[in-house]
Amino acid sequence: MQQQSVPAALAPECCAACQCHRQHACSILTAVSARLFISTVPLHRRVHMPVIRVELWEGRTLEQKRELVKVLTRETARITGCGKASVYVIIDEVKKENWGAGGELCSEKYPE
């Protein structure tokens, strides 16, 4: 693929200051693909998309996470009236050493 310059309006946000998008062909595809994807999704589909973000300590099993996603999806769809396919659940697992509560690291406050 031949490298080309990308208009600043299509550049990824991370490149706004350094202008590195002008040097990398892959950024062209990323910027243009993202812009094309956004423009082809109807506005009503972009606005009404429940996203549930769950932050919890590491250590849950795959089965526990699977059940959590299933129940949150089912109940969110029931309550909001949207389709289950519209509900997104993001699970962020955090180490206790990276979580603080009451001025203490949770790894120290809540040892195993």
Side-chain angles (χ1 to χ4, degrees), residues 87-104:
V87 179
Y88 290 81
V89 178
I90 301 166
I91 299 175
D92 286 323
E93 292 183 289
V94 181
K95 293 180 180 184
K96 283 185 181 183
E97 66 188 42
N98 295 332
W99 194 306
E104 296 178 61

Side-chain angles (χ1 to χ4, degrees), residues 10-12 27-41 46:
L10 292 179
S27 292
I28 295 170
L29 292 176
T30 302
V32 172
S33 295
R35 191 58 67 108
L36 289 174
F37 174 75
I38 290 170
S39 66
T40 60
V41 176
R46 283 187 262 158

Side-chain angles (χ1 to χ4, degrees), residues 7-20:
L10 292 179
E13 288 183 41
C14 63
C15 298
C18 67
Q19 300 293 312
C20 68

Side-chain angles (χ1 to χ4, degrees), residues 63-101:
E63 186 55 42
Q64 288 173 316
K65 291 186 263 186
R66 190 177 287 122
E67 183 179 357
L68 180 63
V69 168
K70 184 178 181 179
V71 171
L72 288 173
T73 300
R74 181 186 68 225
E75 292 304 303
T76 300
R78 181 184 65 80
I79 292 167
T80 63
C82 69
K84 289 180 183 179
S86 298
V87 179
Y88 290 81
V89 178
I90 301 166
I91 299 175
D92 286 323
E93 292 183 289
V94 181
K95 293 180 180 184
K96 283 185 181 183
E97 66 188 42
N98 295 332
W99 194 306

